Amino acid sequence: MKILVAGAGKVGRAVTRELTEEGHDITLIDMNRKVLEDVMSKYDVITLAGNGAAMTTLKEAGIEDIDVFIAATNADEVNLLSCVTAKALNPKIHTIARIRDPEYVEQAYSMQNVFEMSLVVNPERSAANEIARLLKYPGFLKREAFAKAKVEIVELRIGHHSQLANVQLSKLSQKTRCQVLVCAVIRDGRSIMPDGSFVMKEGDRIFVTGAPDQLHDMLTHIGVINMPVSHAVIMGGGRISYYLAEELHKSHITSTIIEMDEEKCRQLSAALPYATIINADISDRSVLESEDIRDYDAVISLTGMDELNIVTSMYAHAHNVPQIVTKLGRGDESELLDSMPIGSIVCPKDLCTMHIVRYVRAMQAKKGAAKTIHRIADGYAEAIEFEVDEDTLHIGEELRTMKTKKDVLIVSIIHGSTPEIPNGSSSYQKGDTVVVVTSKDNMILQLNDIFES
Amino acid sequence: MNFKLIWRIIAYILLIEAGLMMPGLGISLVRHESAASAAFLKSIAIILAVSGILLLITRHYRKGRFYSREGLLTTGLTWIMMSALGCLPFYLSKAIPSYVDAMFEMVSGFTTTGSSILPEVESMAHGLLFWRSFSHWIGGMGVLVFLLAIVSLGGKGEGFTLHILKAESPGPAVGKMVPRMKDTAKILYLIYFGLTVLNILFLVIGGMPMFEAVCTAMGTAGTGGFGVKNDSMASYSPYLQNVTTVFMFLFSVNFSIYYMILLRQFKAAFGDEELRLFLVMIFASIALIAWNVSPLYKSMEETIRHSAFTVGTVMSTTGYATTDFDLWPPFSKAILLFLMMVGACAGSTGGGMKQVRLLLLWKSLRRNLHKSLHPTEVRSVIVNGRAMDEDILSNTNAYLIAYVIIVIGSVLVLSLDGFDFETNFSAVMATFNNIGPGFHAVGPTCNFAAYSNLSKIVMIADMLAGRLEIYPILILISKSTWKKAR
């Protein structure tokens, strides 16, 4: 498909990279020629210097032939204007806009068709939601929900003295007395799609799928005790912090926000009466000491500086804070950070990119498109949720008779509302939901794509 | 420097080169030219062996890590390797007994120069003649661009191939026409192929034998200039000469103009400032030369035909000749010398400094003049309604400086051989700008054989530097290219 991306910022670039790799023709618009030069030399795309909201620029980019327009400039107003303009020039176009200012969020969703937006993405709010979910049931580095949260894939690190170290995967259910399945492992920065004979080692990060209650039971059975979070401290008072404090308030978690800009603090205190707002610079060690972060059971580092976030999280780890979340704006150094004790990593840019990728894939597949897509294992693998419909192949057949592509694993079948960890004799019926884990090299648009053709 | 990937790309190119020798081999076999066939077979075997060794050495190559300097180095090395091995058929068949001469001829072919060291060509085996002309066609659009059109070097949507396109395609601001590099390269080659076939058709309709038509059209398409006749184009009918004139001009237009025309963006295509400058220069030069040389020819038709052909051959940097323009009056020769320097449009198959660079230099000169009157003035150089990047302008200035330095250096070396200044200067101009014939002792009726090996090697470097626009060749002699970064 022909896709036009306006704005070569973090999201614009990430979307460009993902979508070119999926085989789409991308044109990228930005005002800054230097940035465009750099993008051109990295990805196989064409660029255009100009304003993505201007009719002349859009026409020059050939808007009449474009299938999808993605507005990802740093200004919400520009994104709104460019979607309206693009739609006026090409009524058949699909428009996706990034809207992130809390002041606009309500109207962006309720007036979506007024602004001619087919999809609104809000990286900051997605990130806040993800963090809130992590805090609700702590203990996992990451958790991705499928089939209305009936099944989850969670990330765990096999730590020091973990009972899972040196356990063979085929013995896992026995050991944990739970119905769970390990679908991917990261060892020494490399991803592995393990089979039953795989033995887990200390330092591995494993990706486990199962029903949420089963996963929690697993934690207790392997001796990880996690108390629910009740007091969280949020470093930095940006947009994510605002959304997150709101979200945490709903689940009765009190939050303290530390922000160095006084004006921002005033705005936050007006908007979030239930939160404690502290005006201080967290790069100053004495602030963290006087606030005594040992009193909190969660530290969430959300400042605009990745380095500061990493250092703050490491400080929290050294003071035995049980739940730590680190926001990374760039998120390109995952191999390097693998060994650092900074807890769960959240990257708003990636969340937003996957949202857009899912929309574009659904456009391509038309029927039987993925319902959810999550990147797991540092982006090496994808977990995709599909619904079985009348066109799906092999309905009612046993899994062991099916020939699937290399590195494809059916990790869960949800019959009605009961999830099942499948084995060789399992099968699926029309209306069931199936969760598939695949390596990123496979291009899976529909459920039938997992079979060897 | 990612040397393994660079050598791997070169190995692919050599495989392609071996394949491209097949038509020449076929022609030699059909015509029972035993020496040429044997030479082709041996050359193909050697090229395949070299390519095989390179593939073996580089089998653990690393993807990625391919930036601007890798692109430049790949291009420079590719062209040198291709020429060094491509000249083997001439050398092994003893058609050209000296290796330096064979290399000169081959580089002259690939760089679409058309300067020859052969006193006469009609006795040459047809297979070799075909390879000589075919090398123009290959070199015209660039063999790396061809590689980009047939394989995805970049893997999954990576953009590093842009550095190769930039290094091999002429012009100060090379870009893609469509998002995918592969599609861009395909479009370029389709336009190129289509125009060449059209040219062949027009020549065949005019009664030219098929073999000569194909060779002539390939020489025109690449703006090369190797002929299959000793007197180049002089003995062909006026119709054939005029067809060649028109196609020489067509092939020296920026190919993206043709793409715009295919997309029916006529306004953008014909409003292009470089194209307009090019057209003005064509008609002004033809008019001035025709007025200047009219006493030499019998009829008005003949005067205009020869003037137009010669302006075409020099501006497009082709190098065919219908008349000995060395005998023309000094004013005409001065115009030709100027046209030699400027050359064709960027993004075409022609050589020279390129029309758009002249345009940029002229406009920035005017800007700077203005600035000296209003020292605080801020003013952009605008081409085709867009403000040019200051980087492109300073690169263009630097290009002119490099151009002058290379010309001066080359003339100095060539002067050691004892020829007169006009010969030496025009020889450098003719090779560096990829034209072919110069004036006086290297004029249209003469050749470059008399120069010493040292001068020939200098001219080989000039031809490569001219075709690849200096930097890919300069980077080869830069110390930091080969130094391991610590």
Side-chain angles (χ1 to χ4, degrees):
Chain A
M1 273 192 288
K2 291 203 171 96
I3 298 175
L4 185 61
V5 180
K10 279 187 291 229
V11 169
R13 280 158 166 260
V15 166
T16 300
R17 185 189 66 228
E18 291 298 331
L19 293 177
T20 36
E21 282 187 13
E22 304 215 342
H24 301 289
D25 290 351
I26 313 281
T27 307
L28 184 62
I29 302 179
D30 198 281
M31 300 272 216
N32 186 338
R33 282 170 205 267
K34 288 273 171 299
V35 174
L36 292 181
E37 279 277 313
D38 182 52
V39 173
M40 279 264 267
S41 67
K42 285 193 178 122
Y43 313 123
D44 200 359
V45 298
I46 197 166
T47 61
L48 181 66
N51 176 356
M55 193 166 90
T56 44
T57 313
L58 288 174
K59 276 190 173 163
E60 201 177 337
I63 190 79
E64 299 86 1
D65 303 322
I66 300 285
D67 301 305
V68 186
F69 175 73
I70 300 167
T73 68
N74 53 11
D76 288 352
E77 296 87 347
V78 174
N79 293 342
L80 288 172
L81 179 60
S82 52
C83 281
V84 176
T85 315
K87 191 80 175 186
L89 292 171
N90 176 1
K92 289 202 299 284
I93 207 165
H94 289 243
T95 53
I96 302 176
R98 175 174 65 173
I99 305 293
R100 52 184 184 178
D101 196 324
E103 287 183 327
Y104 294 144
V105 162
E106 204 190 331
Q107 79 210 62
Y109 286 97
S110 63
M111 299 165 80
Q112 201 170 333
N113 12 351
V114 178
F115 293 114
E116 303 285 10
M117 296 180 291
S118 320
L119 175 72
V120 179
V121 290
N122 184 341
E124 279 78 10
R125 199 156 88 162
S126 313
N129 288 340
E130 165 138 340
I131 297 168
R133 276 199 302 116
L134 279 170
L135 296 189
K136 234 182 247 174
Y137 305 102
F140 302 116
L141 287 174
K142 212 166 226 174
R143 47 193 300 160
E144 318 282 9
F146 298 89
K148 303 198 181 77
K150 288 189 201 84
V151 172
E152 289 191 347
I153 293 183
V154 298
E155 181 181 341
L156 271 181
R157 183 189 293 279
I158 314 264
H160 229 46
H161 312 301
S162 168
Q163 295 184 29
L164 290 180
N166 305 319
V167 171
Q168 202 173 10
L169 284 191
S170 52
K171 306 258 165 58
L172 182 69
S173 303
Q174 230 176 303
K175 177 101 189 161
T176 59
R177 288 170 278 152
C178 293
Q179 282 298 312
V180 294
L181 176 79
V182 174
C183 49
V185 178
I186 296 268
R187 175 174 289 174
D188 303 330
R190 288 190 308 119
S191 84
I192 302 164
M193 292 272 231
D195 56 16
S197 61
F198 186 87
V199 179
M200 293 178 280
K201 278 206 296 208
E202 189 192 318
D204 287 354
R205 280 184 293 139
I206 57 172
F207 296 81
V208 193
T209 176
D213 55 328
Q214 295 285 314
L215 292 167
H216 286 287
D217 290 352
M218 176 183 82
L219 276 191
T220 3
H221 291 151
I222 61 171
V224 180
I225 303 149
N226 273 291
M227 301 294 288
V229 173
S230 58
H231 303 288
V233 58
I234 301 171
M235 310 294 183
R239 283 182 280 251
I240 307 180
S241 310
Y242 167 78
Y243 291 125
L244 179 60
E246 231 184 5
E247 207 51 50
L248 293 182
H249 177 65
K250 284 183 206 156
S251 35
H252 310 292
I253 301 173
T254 58
S255 43
T256 303
I257 299 178
I258 306 180
E259 162 62 43
M260 58 191 268
D261 183 66
E262 202 183 332
E263 182 53 36
K264 254 189 191 169
C265 286
R266 276 184 208 296
Q267 289 170 7
L268 283 173
S269 73
L272 302 167
Y274 34 79
T276 312
I277 316 290
I278 289 168
N279 180 16
D281 183 357
I282 56 157
S283 55
D284 183 355
R285 169 77 68 89
S286 64
V287 170
L288 295 179
E289 271 165 17
S290 71
E291 271 309 309
D292 205 352
I293 60 174
R294 269 166 294 197
D295 290 350
Y296 294 94
D297 34 25
V299 168
I300 301 139
S301 309
L302 300 178
T303 71
M305 281 180 289
D306 288 356
E307 305 85 334
L308 184 57
N309 291 343
I310 292 169
V311 171
T312 310
S313 293
M314 285 167 78
Y315 180 84
H317 178 84
H319 288 80
N320 297 320
V321 176
Q323 192 70 15
I324 300 167
V325 180
T326 311
K327 183 205 90 170
L328 293 182
R330 292 182 162 275
D332 304 330
E333 311 84 355
S334 50
E335 295 100 8
L336 206 65
L337 297 174
D338 195 21
S339 54
M340 288 192 186
I342 55 173
S344 308
I345 295 174
V346 170
C347 183
K349 164 189 87 172
D350 288 353
L351 294 170
C352 170
T353 306
M354 281 323 288
H355 203 157
I356 294 172
V357 166
R358 188 171 76 228
Y359 184 87
V360 173
R361 281 199 202 165
M363 272 181 72
Q364 257 181 307
K366 289 194 179 73
K367 252 192 109 197
K371 303 191 112 176
T372 9
I373 303 170
H374 288 296
R375 282 278 155 82
I376 59 169
D378 298 346
Y380 289 110
E382 272 175 5
I384 317 174
E385 173 191 338
F386 292 103
E387 197 180 296
V388 178
D389 59 20
E390 62 271 16
D391 296 331
T392 306
L393 302 168
H394 308 298
I395 288 179
E397 292 174 32
E398 291 194 339
L399 289 191
R400 67 163 67 90
T401 62
M402 298 177 189
K403 267 240 165 288
T404 57
K405 284 183 182 152
K406 195 174 165 278
D407 290 337
V408 169
L409 208 59
I410 296 181
V411 297
S412 185
I413 301 173
I414 299 107
H415 311 281
S417 62
T418 32
E420 181 200 352
I421 297 293
N423 53 37
S425 55
S426 306
S427 64
Y428 51 73
Q429 300 299 331
K430 198 186 141 201
D432 287 355
T433 302
V434 172
V435 180
V436 175
V437 170
T438 163
S439 101
K440 215 181 130 206
D441 300 331
N442 291 323
M443 181 76 185
I444 310 284
L445 290 178
Q446 309 167 19
L447 186 50
N448 287 341
D449 291 342
I450 69 168
F451 302 114
E452 202 69 76
S453 52
Chain B
M1 200 68 83
N2 192 347
F3 282 109
K4 279 202 169 159
L5 183 55
I6 293 173
W7 283 110
R8 194 160 186 92
I9 292 173
I10 293 172
Y12 293 144
I13 292 289
L14 292 180
L15 282 180
I16 293 176
E17 188 180 25
L20 293 174
M21 278 192 179
M22 293 296 175
L25 171 68
I27 289 169
S28 284
L29 285 173
V30 169
R31 292 192 176 246
H32 304 293
E33 296 160 346
S34 55
S37 319
F40 269 120
L41 277 175
K42 274 186 233 165
S43 311
I44 290 173
I46 293 172
I47 292 172
L48 286 179
V50 173
S51 170
I53 292 169
L54 285 178
L55 284 175
L56 203 68
I57 296 172
T58 60
R59 63 189 182 281
H60 300 300
Y61 72 104
R62 259 185 311 164
K63 268 212 169 147
R65 239 181 72 78
F66 196 97
Y67 303 104
S68 171
R69 52 192 202 151
E70 272 90 358
L72 290 171
L73 190 62
T74 305
T75 309
L77 283 175
T78 298
W79 280 67
I80 290 174
M81 288 293 287
M82 255 179 48
S83 309
L85 292 169
C87 67
L88 287 174
F90 301 123
Y91 179 62
L92 294 175
S93 66
K94 305 268 191 310
I96 304 175
S98 145
Y99 183 78
V100 173
D101 281 0
M103 178 88 173
F104 183 94
E105 197 77 5
M106 196 72 247
V107 170
S108 172
F110 279 134
T111 58
T112 73
T113 306
S115 302
S116 181
I117 45 81
L118 293 169
E120 61 96 30
V121 292
E122 282 169 29
S123 67
M124 211 179 195
H126 274 71
L128 293 175
L129 274 183
F130 180 84
W131 176 234
R132 230 165 66 108
S133 295
F134 194 32
S135 67
H136 281 329
W137 199 81
I138 300 164
M141 191 53 81
V143 68
L144 284 161
V145 175
F146 181 68
L147 184 72
L148 294 179
I150 56 172
V151 298
S152 305
L153 275 180
K156 265 188 161 184
E158 283 174 30
F160 75 74
T161 46
L162 186 70
H163 297 304
I164 296 180
L165 185 80
K166 276 193 168 168
E168 198 179 39
S169 297
V174 177
K176 290 193 262 190
M177 297 188 282
V178 290
R180 294 275 165 194
M181 176 58 74
K182 209 173 163 176
D183 298 335
T184 303
K186 263 188 200 149
I187 289 169
L188 284 174
Y189 257 94
L190 279 177
I191 293 171
Y192 190 41
F193 190 77
L195 277 175
T196 311
V197 169
L198 208 63
N199 190 0
I200 294 174
L201 271 177
F202 272 103
L203 292 176
V204 170
I205 289 169
M208 197 187 264
M210 195 62 189
F211 178 77
E212 289 172 30
V214 170
C215 286
T216 306
M218 287 193 305
T220 312
T223 66
F226 278 151
V228 287
K229 287 272 168 40
N230 289 340
D231 61 0
S232 190
M233 298 286 295
S235 53
Y236 286 120
S237 70
Y239 165 82
L240 293 175
Q241 292 178 355
N242 288 334
V243 164
T244 306
T245 305
V246 170
F247 274 92
M248 283 191 295
F249 283 126
L250 287 179
F251 280 110
S252 35
V253 170
N254 192 331
F255 276 41
S256 58
I257 301 273
Y258 297 124
Y259 184 60
M260 285 188 224
I261 291 173
L262 287 176
L263 291 181
R264 306 187 168 279
Q265 299 172 349
F266 299 110
K267 223 169 133 190
F270 295 112
D272 186 73
E273 286 190 48
E274 186 186 23
L275 183 69
R276 291 186 164 194
L277 174 69
F278 184 60
L279 291 174
V280 167
M281 275 200 7
I282 289 174
F283 289 111
S285 316
I286 292 176
L288 285 173
I289 289 178
W291 165 71
N292 189 234
V293 301
S294 57
L296 295 176
Y297 297 101
K298 286 190 291 281
S299 69
M300 184 77 175
E301 183 273 330
E302 207 178 343
T303 311
I304 291 182
R305 172 157 52 85
H306 288 309
S307 311
F309 190 96
T310 308
V311 168
T313 200
V314 170
M315 272 184 97
S316 69
T317 71
T318 307
Y320 285 136
T322 53
T323 178
D324 188 357
F325 54 75
D326 192 40
L327 304 173
W328 284 2
F331 179 63
S332 297
K333 280 162 86 171
I335 294 178
L336 290 180
L337 197 66
F338 168 68
L339 293 180
M340 277 186 184
M341 276 188 247
V342 179
C345 297
S348 71
T349 62
M353 224 164 66
K354 306 289 169 323
Q355 301 278 336
V356 67
R357 285 211 177 85
L358 185 72
L359 195 69
L360 290 175
L361 287 170
W362 173 248
K363 287 198 170 186
S364 43
L365 176 69
R366 253 187 24 192
R367 191 247 310 248
N368 287 13
L369 210 63
H370 237 265
K371 249 186 154 167
S372 58
L373 296 178
H374 311 275
T376 48
E377 189 192 14
V378 177
R379 177 187 275 255
S380 306
V381 171
I382 295 177
V383 176
N384 288 334
R386 279 180 165 273
M388 292 310 285
D389 215 19
E390 292 299 321
D391 276 357
I392 293 180
L393 292 177
S394 71
N395 280 342
T396 309
N397 292 338
Y399 188 86
L400 181 69
I401 296 166
Y403 184 96
V404 171
I405 291 174
I406 289 178
V407 169
I408 294 172
S410 306
V411 170
L412 278 176
V413 176
L414 261 63
S415 302
L416 289 173
D417 290 352
F419 296 104
D420 63 295
F421 178 74
E422 190 185 357
T423 306
N424 292 332
F425 187 68
S426 66
V428 170
M429 278 296 156
T431 48
F432 188 35
N433 295 313
N434 303 139
I435 292 158
F439 296 128
H440 216 246
V442 291
T445 55
C446 316
N447 63 67
F448 287 72
Y451 274 109
S452 68
N453 276 351
L454 175 67
S455 298
K456 280 175 190 158
I457 290 169
V458 167
M459 284 189 278
I460 286 173
D462 283 351
M463 288 190 275
L464 286 168
R467 168 63 181 82
L468 301 177
E469 309 219 303
I470 302 178
Y471 295 118
I473 296 303
L474 275 192
I475 194 179
L476 290 173
I477 50 173
S478 153
K479 215 163 95 188
S480 66
T481 306
W482 307 101
K483 203 169 57 185
K484 249 204 172 112
R486 272 177 226 285

